[in-house]
């Protein structure tokens, strides 16, 4: 009897220890954790990325989920601050036992989370950042859906120089995100034997741009590439124009297109932004039509914009991997399944992974804001 009880106890213990590999299988639920800015000056980015993902996951769950599993996306606010993001990540892994971390927002926050992610070999999927430091060296449990800042800044520099504009300045956030973008601009310019004519910085989550405006305006650049979030980008544009600067402003996608347009109002006219997602307003691309239809059906706080579109696309790609991972997914089977996604057309937007390539897309295009807050491609 004692031996039988001992065997029963060991079997139960083994089952409990095995649970993290299959996670909430008894509930047929896949739990994801998202740490992002849901408050503070960058709140639009986290809020909209989350809403787009939820539009997709909610519709997926309503249709029965994937292989009998529903997807739950849990969120914690980090205010776009690295230490808060790290603490949130520890909580998701240690307390919530999430299957994967999904849709984190920002380079400095993602980098703060990465040691915890790697120590626990947790899947880190679809972060809202294009920083090379999160892509190299290669990590098997990290998957990127969007193009990189190198891709974006290369297109911006190509566009500017093709127009004969070579006096280029860089206004960047003084952290890992801003420096990643600055590296991209320098890399693109170096290939043309050029360097920035001036640089200026702003601290994360602030709009203290006076010093940067003074330095950059004095160099009389023909264009300014901005690597920052929407509030500081808008503050710089306003102050530079007040100082008499009449050149062109270019931003990378992380700025938050609609948020920047809302911040600037009529002053948004002519501002250029590189985009890594298909247009969320298109009625010609099948994926865009699908997204617009899903947003309309969701109602409530859901609305169409580039940030929301990125959340929707990341959720759709994640669901494809989950589908291929089988009826009892583990992290290992999900990774293997995700690597089998090659040349998949989502409806005008192609994604592809591989055993040594976890970047799904290098798609980049330029868009321009109009004074009525619209985006023109």
């Amino acid at each position: 009897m004692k031996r039988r009880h001992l065997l029963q106890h060991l079997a139960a213990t083994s089952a409990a220890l095995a649970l993290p590999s299959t996670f909430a299988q008894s509930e047929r639920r896949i739990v994801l954790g998202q740490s992002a800015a849901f408050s503070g000056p960058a709140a639009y980015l986290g809020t909209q990325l989350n809403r787009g993902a939820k539009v997709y996951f909610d519709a997926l769950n309503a249709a029965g989920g994937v292989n009998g599993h529903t997807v739950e996306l849990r969120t914690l606010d980090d205010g776009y601050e690295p230490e808060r993001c790290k603490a949130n990540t520890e909580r998701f892994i240690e307390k919530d036992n999430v299957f994967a971390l999904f849709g984190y927002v920002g380079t400095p926050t993602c980098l703060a989370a990465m040691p915890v992610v790697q120590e626990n070999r947790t899947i880190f999927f679809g972060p809202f950042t294009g920083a090379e430091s999160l892509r190299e060296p290669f990590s098997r449990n990290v998957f990127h859906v969007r193009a990189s800042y190198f891709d974006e800044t290369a297109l911006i520099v190509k566009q500017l120089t093709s127009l004969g504009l070579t006096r280029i300045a860089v206004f960047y956030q003084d952290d890992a995100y801003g420096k990643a973008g600055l590296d991209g601009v320098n890399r693109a310019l170096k290939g043309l034997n050029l360097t920035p004519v001036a640089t200026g910085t702003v601290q994360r989550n602030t709009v203290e741009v006076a010093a940067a405006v003074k330095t950059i305006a004095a160099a009389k650049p023909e264009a300014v590439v901005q690597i920052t979030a929407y509030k500081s980008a808008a503050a710089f544009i306003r102050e530079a124009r007040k100082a008499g600067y009449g050149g062109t402003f270019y931003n990378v996608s992380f700025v938050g297109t609609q948020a920047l347009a809302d911040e600037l109002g009529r002053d948004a006219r002519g501002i250029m932004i590189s985009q890594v997602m298909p247009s969320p307003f298109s009625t010609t691309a099948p994926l865009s039509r699908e997204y617009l239809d899903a947003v309309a059906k969701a109602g409530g706080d859901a609305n169409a914009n580039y940030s929301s579109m990125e959340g929707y696309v990341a959720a759709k790609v994640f669901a494809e991997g989950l589908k291929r991972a089988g009826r009892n997914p583990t992290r290992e089977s999900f990774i293997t399944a995700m690597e089998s996604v090659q040349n998949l057309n989502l409806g005008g937007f192609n994604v592809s992974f591989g055993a040594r390539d976890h970047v799904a897309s290098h798609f980049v295009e330029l868009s321009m804001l109009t004074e009525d807050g619209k985006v023109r491609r």
Side-chain angles (χ1 to χ4, degrees):
M1 289 295 291
K2 288 183 179 180
R3 182 173 181 275
R4 186 175 67 187
H5 289 159
L6 177 61
L7 290 174
Q8 289 173 341
H9 174 72
L10 288 173
T13 302
S14 298
L17 291 173
L19 185 59
S21 66
T22 54
F23 302 88
Q25 295 302 311
S26 61
E27 301 176 36
R28 310 302 291 176
R29 180 164 49 99
I30 301 295
V31 179
L32 310 180
Q34 180 186 25
S35 178
F38 297 112
S39 65
Y44 174 94
L45 303 176
T47 300
Q48 292 303 320
L49 193 79
N50 174 264
R51 285 177 181 169
K54 277 187 60 61
V55 165
Y56 184 86
F57 286 138
D58 288 349
L60 181 75
N61 292 339
V66 180
N67 296 331
H69 295 274
T70 57
V71 178
E72 178 187 346
L73 180 57
R74 297 180 183 175
T75 60
L76 289 173
D77 180 20
D78 59 38
Y80 195 28
E81 291 294 346
E83 287 306 309
R84 290 174 64 185
C85 181
K86 181 181 179 181
N88 289 348
T89 303
E90 290 170 345
R91 176 176 169 178
F92 280 138
I93 293 172
E94 296 169 7
K95 182 178 179 181
D96 294 346
N97 190 32
V98 297
F99 180 84
L101 301 168
F102 174 93
Y104 274 39
V105 174
T107 304
T109 40
C110 288
L111 286 174
M114 200 50 57
V116 182
V117 170
Q118 299 296 15
E119 180 183 352
N120 291 275
R121 298 182 181 180
T122 307
I123 294 166
F124 194 75
F125 193 92
F128 188 20
T129 168
E132 209 66 25
S133 54
L134 290 161
R135 298 161 186 247
E136 295 293 340
F138 172 80
S139 179
R140 192 164 179 267
N141 54 307
V142 179
F143 291 87
H144 300 273
V145 175
R146 58 161 31 229
S148 72
Y149 293 143
F150 280 7
D151 294 324
E152 294 189 65
T153 52
L155 179 61
I156 289 172
V157 170
K158 180 180 179 181
Q159 169 75 1
L160 287 170
T161 54
S162 69
L163 296 173
L165 305 178
T166 58
R167 294 186 56 79
I168 299 169
V170 184
F171 170 62
Y172 65 99
Q173 194 166 285
D174 191 13
D175 63 9
Y177 158 50
K179 290 171 185 174
L182 175 65
D183 287 347
V185 176
N186 282 330
R187 185 171 183 260
L189 288 175
K190 185 178 180 180
L192 301 170
N193 294 316
L194 297 171
T195 58
V197 296
T199 61
T201 64
V202 65
Q203 296 302 307
R204 181 177 58 250
N205 284 339
T206 75
V207 291
E208 298 169 5
V209 301
V213 169
K214 183 177 180 180
T215 299
I216 289 176
K220 298 181 180 179
E222 296 164 313
V224 179
V225 180
Q226 301 191 117
I227 317 291
T228 188
Y230 56 95
K231 283 193 178 292
S232 50
F236 183 91
I237 291 168
R238 287 197 201 94
E239 293 305 310
R241 284 180 171 164
K242 285 179 184 177
Y245 177 70
T248 307
F249 296 94
Y250 279 71
N251 294 265
V252 294
S253 59
F254 184 82
V255 72
T257 302
Q258 192 58 54
L260 182 60
D262 292 344
E263 285 286 324
L264 288 171
R266 295 180 66 85
D267 292 333
R269 182 180 181 183
I271 305 300
M272 303 295 295
I273 304 173
S274 55
Q275 307 292 355
V276 297
M277 289 288 132
S279 171
F281 312 110
S282 171
T283 56
T284 56
L287 177 60
S288 298
R289 290 200 305 270
E290 174 192 319
Y291 164 73
L292 287 170
D293 183 57
V295 168
K297 288 179 180 177
D301 293 329
N303 56 78
N305 56 72
Y306 276 100
S307 301
S308 168
M309 177 66 146
E310 183 160 344
Y312 185 89
V313 171
K316 187 176 178 71
V317 176
F318 182 88
E320 178 65 27
L322 198 59
K323 175 183 176 182
R324 298 184 185 205
R327 297 196 63 82
N328 295 296
T330 64
R331 286 175 178 162
E332 181 60 31
S333 69
F334 177 85
I335 290 171
T336 301
M338 209 72 255
E339 291 176 343
S340 76
V341 176
Q342 298 181 14
N343 300 315
L344 176 66
N345 188 340
L346 299 181
F349 184 74
N350 293 340
V351 295
S352 188
F353 294 105
R356 294 292 300 177
D357 182 6
H358 285 189
V359 179
S361 169
H362 294 279
F363 168 85
V364 187
E365 66 177 11
L366 289 172
S367 64
M368 183 174 68
L369 297 181
T370 61
E371 63 183 19
D372 59 355
K374 298 294 178 62
V375 183
R376 190 166 67 197
R377 298 163 69 193

